[in-house]
């Protein structure tokens, strides 16, 4: 039975959930404090029942995303992953800011040219680093580009990525 993440819950014996960010069709995101380092992180929980028809496929995507380590400053790489009490979790660094879609709405849909170029360059560099590791993201869109408070952009959500030798 699926038990959704709650405020106050400690995940993977280390990350204390302090806020719920959002819930989508396959996952719920929460903000948590790492009890070992004091860092604020994001906890992503696979929010599906094992009886769901596409559970195995979504779990495989979730595990693949958890194991992607591009190692580039403009990529949100997972920092921890595991299963606890039958639930699966990915821990990621917190990027304090909206996704590009929300950011664009907030600025009326227009960016200064230098900022637009910066976002494009940082995203291209992130993709270049992924491609150098033979990882194809396959889902680059404004909702998968995060913008921090300083205006720097980060590529996230490698859930449907593939390596060229995978089917």
């Amino acid at each position: 039975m699926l038990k959704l993440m709650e405020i106050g819950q400690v995940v993977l014996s280390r990350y204390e959930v302090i806020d719920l960010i959002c819930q989508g069709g396959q996952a719920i995101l929460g903000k948590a404090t790492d009890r070992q380092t004091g860092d604020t992180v994001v906890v992503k929980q696979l929010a599906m029942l094992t009886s769901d028809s596409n559970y195995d496929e979504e779990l495989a995507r979730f595990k693949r995303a958890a194991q992607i380590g591009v190692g580039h400053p403009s990529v949100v790489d997972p920092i921890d992953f595991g299963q606890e009490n039958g639930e699966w979790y990915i821990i990621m660094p917190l990027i304090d800011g909206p996704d590009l879609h929300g950011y664009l709405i907030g600025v009326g849909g227009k960016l200064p040219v230098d900022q637009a170029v910066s976002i494009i360059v940082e995203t291209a560099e992130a993709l270049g680093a992924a491609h150098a590791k033979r990882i194809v993201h396959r889902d680059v869109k404004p909702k998968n580009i995060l913008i921090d408070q300083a205006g720097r952009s980060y590529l996230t959500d490698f859930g449907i990525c593939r390596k060229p030798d995978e089917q």
Side-chain angles (χ1 to χ4, degrees):
M1 168 166 243
L2 178 65
K3 180 169 181 342
L4 293 179
M5 178 175 20
E6 299 175 337
I7 294 174
Q9 177 181 350
V10 177
V11 173
L12 302 178
S13 303
R14 179 174 174 174
Y15 308 97
E16 184 175 352
V17 179
I18 57 174
D19 195 11
L20 299 177
I21 299 171
C22 67
Q23 182 174 351
Q26 291 89 12
I28 183 169
L29 297 178
K31 187 187 293 189
T33 301
D34 181 337
R35 291 175 148 190
Q36 291 181 9
T37 67
D39 293 341
T40 304
V41 297
V42 172
V43 176
K44 183 175 185 177
Q45 177 190 7
L46 181 62
M48 298 184 72
L49 295 169
T50 56
S51 60
D52 289 344
S53 62
N54 59 341
Y55 177 82
D56 290 338
E57 179 182 335
E58 290 302 323
L59 178 58
R61 286 181 181 179
F62 197 79
K63 287 179 177 181
R64 185 180 316 115
Q67 296 168 3
I68 292 298
V70 176
H72 187 275
S74 291
V75 173
V76 181
D77 282 334
I79 54 178
D80 202 353
F81 169 70
Q83 182 183 32
E84 185 173 69
N85 300 322
E87 305 301 334
W88 288 95
Y89 301 95
I90 299 173
I91 311 302
M92 300 171 287
L94 174 69
I95 304 302
D96 194 15
D99 61 43
L100 181 56
H101 178 262
Y103 186 80
L104 287 168
I105 290 170
V107 297
K110 296 183 181 187
L111 294 175
V113 172
D114 59 334
Q115 187 178 20
V117 168
S118 176
I119 291 168
I120 292 166
V121 167
E122 288 167 349
T123 303
E125 289 172 347
L127 288 168
H131 293 175
K133 293 195 172 198
R134 302 186 48 76
I135 299 165
V136 180
H137 187 282
R138 297 180 60 217
D139 196 22
V140 178
K141 60 186 179 187
K143 291 239 180 217
N144 289 338
I145 298 170
L146 304 177
I147 309 296
D148 72 9
Q149 298 299 314
R152 187 163 167 71
S153 60
Y154 303 83
L155 185 61
T156 190
D157 197 353
F158 281 77
I160 64 170
C161 73
R162 288 267 192 254
K163 291 190 174 187
D165 52 347
E166 292 178 339
Q167 295 299 322

